[in-house]
Amino acid sequence: MENDERPGTVLSDDESWKVLERCQYGRLALSVLDEPDIYPTNFIVHNQTLLVRTNPGTKLAELTVNARVAFEVDEVVDGEAWSVVLKGTARVIESQKEIDEANKLPLKPWIPTRKYTYVEITPARVHGRYFELGDEPERY
């Protein structure tokens, strides 16, 4: 029996980071008391970390309870797709020096609102896959 499974190509760490650098929108996954949450957000790669801007609320409260997070991005272009998952630790940037540095980056809020809190996600693991998209094969 022929196997038509095509699970994609595993990306190297460098290839995965290149996808993260190209993308600007992703999903932040958190879990508190065995209750997972996923938040769409924009981000920027800076010094092999991810930076996100947010305001006080559920997301920020959850990060203070459990700093272990996952972050996922997908990119689809002309019949090709890339998916990258980063797992790591999040922390609120609190030192004025780091805030001043982050303010110089081109990370603007996704929606028309002021977001004064920066969250840095330091990776423990980054892994990605590349896929050639197409129709489902015919059955024989």
Side-chain angles (χ1 to χ4, degrees), residues 3-135:
N3 183 346
D4 66 4
E5 290 293 316
R6 298 178 68 193
T9 303
V10 174
L11 300 177
S12 69
D13 285 355
D14 285 341
E15 291 169 324
S16 294
W17 277 105
K18 286 178 183 172
V19 173
L20 287 165
E21 290 168 355
R22 285 194 308 258
C23 294
Q24 55 183 318
Y25 304 107
R27 284 159 298 287
L28 176 62
L30 312 164
S31 182
V32 175
L33 301 173
D34 294 327
E35 186 67 33
D37 274 318
I38 298 176
Y39 299 94
T41 187
N42 63 321
F43 71 99
I44 192 168
V45 173
H46 181 66
N47 295 334
Q48 293 285 299
T49 66
L50 300 186
L51 285 179
V52 174
R53 287 175 67 175
T54 192
N55 279 326
T58 305
K59 182 183 350 172
L60 198 54
E62 289 179 6
L63 286 171
T64 62
V65 173
N66 181 5
R68 294 179 50 198
V69 301
F71 196 91
E72 194 265 347
V73 299
D74 293 314
E75 181 181 36
V76 179
V77 179
D78 297 328
E80 298 178 293
W82 296 262
S83 182
V84 174
V85 174
L86 178 147
K87 294 180 181 178
T89 305
R91 74 174 179 96
V92 174
I93 293 177
E94 294 179 335
S95 83
Q96 191 60 52
K97 180 180 177 183
E98 289 178 297
I99 292 169
D100 291 343
E101 184 178 329
N103 280 333
K104 294 176 186 174
L105 299 172
L107 179 60
K108 306 298 179 212
W110 192 359
I111 57 175
T113 184
R114 291 187 176 99
K115 295 190 175 187
Y116 297 112
T117 304
Y118 287 97
V119 174
E120 177 187 69
I121 302 170
T122 302
R125 180 172 184 234
V126 177
H127 60 282
R129 287 194 180 266
Y130 163 79
F131 305 93
E132 291 181 29
L133 304 179
D135 293 333

